[in-house]
Structure formats: C-alpha cells, structure tokens
Amino acid sequence: MLIKIAEIAQEDADVRLAQTDPSRFILLRNGVTSWHLKGLTGVTPDSIRKALEKHRIAYLDPTDRTARPTVRAGRTTARARPAM
C-alpha cells in the first residue's frame, strides 16, 4: 500500500477527479501536499521497492496485475510467514 501512496504523491492527484468527486480530489491533494511538506518527496515507489528487497521482505507490487506476492532473495511469501 505504501508503494501506491508514493505513486500518488509522485504523480499528484488526477485532475479528472475534481470533476467527478471534488471532495475526494481535495482530500488527495491535501495528502500529497502534506507528504511533500513532511519531507517525504524522496520516498518514491522505487526507493520503497529497493528497501523491501534489501531487507528481503516479500510484498505485493500494485503494478503487477497478477496480484501475487513478489519474493526476493529466497524469502517466503508474505502469506506464508507466521504471525508474530
């Protein structure tokens, strides 16, 4: 989910949403502004993916249409990991 949030922050809210759902557009725009004001501009989808891979954490990639967990460096999938 953080990858998708970073994508929205990087690309900005879709202006077409202002016509179809103005309140949601305002909510997203305020969120994007807050994201940048908090200094999170450097937190991009790619930087999140790299951090997850570096720490060998399985994740679901929102750009992957098959919606299967991405497994890196031999770790088990997120679904197979026991709850702590």
Side-chain angles (χ1 to χ4, degrees), residues 8-74:
I8 293 169
Q10 191 173 31
E11 298 168 3
D12 208 353
D14 187 348
V15 294
R16 293 176 294 178
L17 192 58
Q19 298 296 319
T20 59
D21 193 344
S23 61
R24 186 163 296 176
F25 176 76
I26 291 169
L27 181 69
L28 280 172
R29 281 295 298 131
N30 289 341
V32 168
T33 300
S34 177
W35 178 273
H36 293 292
L37 289 175
K38 290 179 180 179
L40 298 173
T41 303
V43 180
T44 65
D46 287 336
S47 69
I48 295 167
R49 286 184 192 98
K50 286 178 185 175
L52 291 171
E53 290 172 10
K54 177 181 177 183
H55 297 284
R56 299 179 180 163
I57 299 172
Y59 62 97
L60 293 174
D61 191 333
T63 60
D64 182 6
R65 301 295 178 215
T66 61
R68 286 180 277 157
T70 302
V71 180
R72 303 286 184 203

